[in-house]
Amino acid sequence: MTDHAPSQYHLAQFNVGTLLAPLDDPLLAEFVARLDPVNALADAAPGFVWRLVGEGEADATGMRPAGEDVIINFSVWESADSLWDFVYRSAHLETMRRRREWFQRHVEAHLVMWWIPAGHVPTVEEALERLALIREHGPTPRAFTFNSSFTAEEAAEATTPDAETADAEAAELTAS
């Protein structure tokens, strides 16, 4: 996967996972044990910019904006290539391979990516809106996945009144 995004844009990614059991259940012990090492790996990865953590916490697993049994992962990367390398070319991949041991299979989209201006710190509300957008409309330049990605230029071109209307509709879906 190659992107030629100008450095004035970064890639935000947000994903959700519906737990098979509470985090303190023995079924999830191996997953929980992997959290700190995988987060440290992300923090040190080339192209890593930011990740969401709960106040006074090491990660965002205590935050439940998508439901009590749903944990979130939210980060920003310099490029799609840097995110791809972390997800699929690092020790993170082993955790991905084992996800069915800890998480339910999602019927709806559970991952969304979008371009943001460099320096912008996206909000959870923004991420939930983008997730609702991809669930409602499928991949677009404003909400996409690795399998159907768009460049930062395509996303900038898609910033029109129609895109703002789609975002507003997605926000309404999220609120309901």
Side-chain angles (χ1 to χ4, degrees):
M1 164 174 230
T2 301
D3 63 60
H4 301 311
S7 61
Q8 72 254 31
Y9 295 101
H10 287 161
L11 186 69
Q13 80 76 34
F14 179 78
N15 65 74
V16 296
T18 304
L19 297 166
L20 291 174
L23 281 177
D24 59 356
D25 189 287
L27 178 68
L28 295 179
E30 285 187 62
F31 171 73
V32 171
R34 291 170 180 263
L35 287 171
D36 287 343
V38 168
N39 286 332
L41 184 66
D43 293 348
F48 172 82
V49 175
W50 169 89
R51 71 179 166 87
L52 179 67
V53 297
E55 190 172 330
E57 301 293 329
D59 57 42
T61 57
M63 302 174 78
R64 302 299 170 91
E68 276 307 306
D69 59 345
V70 180
I71 61 172
I72 63 172
N73 178 281
F74 194 7
S75 59
V76 173
W77 297 80
E78 289 178 356
S79 69
D81 286 339
S82 59
L83 175 57
W84 176 270
D85 287 345
F86 167 71
V87 172
Y88 296 107
R89 294 189 179 128
S90 76
H92 174 268
L93 183 58
E94 180 58 25
T95 301
M96 287 276 298
R97 286 183 175 140
R98 296 187 58 196
R99 68 188 176 274
R100 299 287 176 251
E101 295 176 36
W102 308 307
F103 299 98
Q104 294 178 19
R105 185 176 299 267
H106 282 269
V107 177
E108 296 183 292
H110 64 280
L111 165 76
V112 64
M113 301 184 310
W114 69 100
W115 293 104
I116 60 173
H120 172 68
V121 177
T123 65
V124 171
E125 292 76 21
E126 182 181 346
L128 290 170
E129 289 170 7
R130 298 295 175 136
L131 186 62
L133 187 63
I134 198 169
R135 285 176 172 175
E136 178 70 18
H137 300 285
T140 69
R142 300 183 51 75
F144 52 89
T145 66
F146 280 124
N147 289 335
S148 55
S149 63
F150 294 86
T151 66
E153 292 82 6
E154 290 169 320
E157 290 171 10
T159 304
T160 64
D162 290 338
E164 291 171 9
T165 300
D167 281 351
E169 290 172 359
E172 287 177 22
L173 287 172
T174 303
S176 57

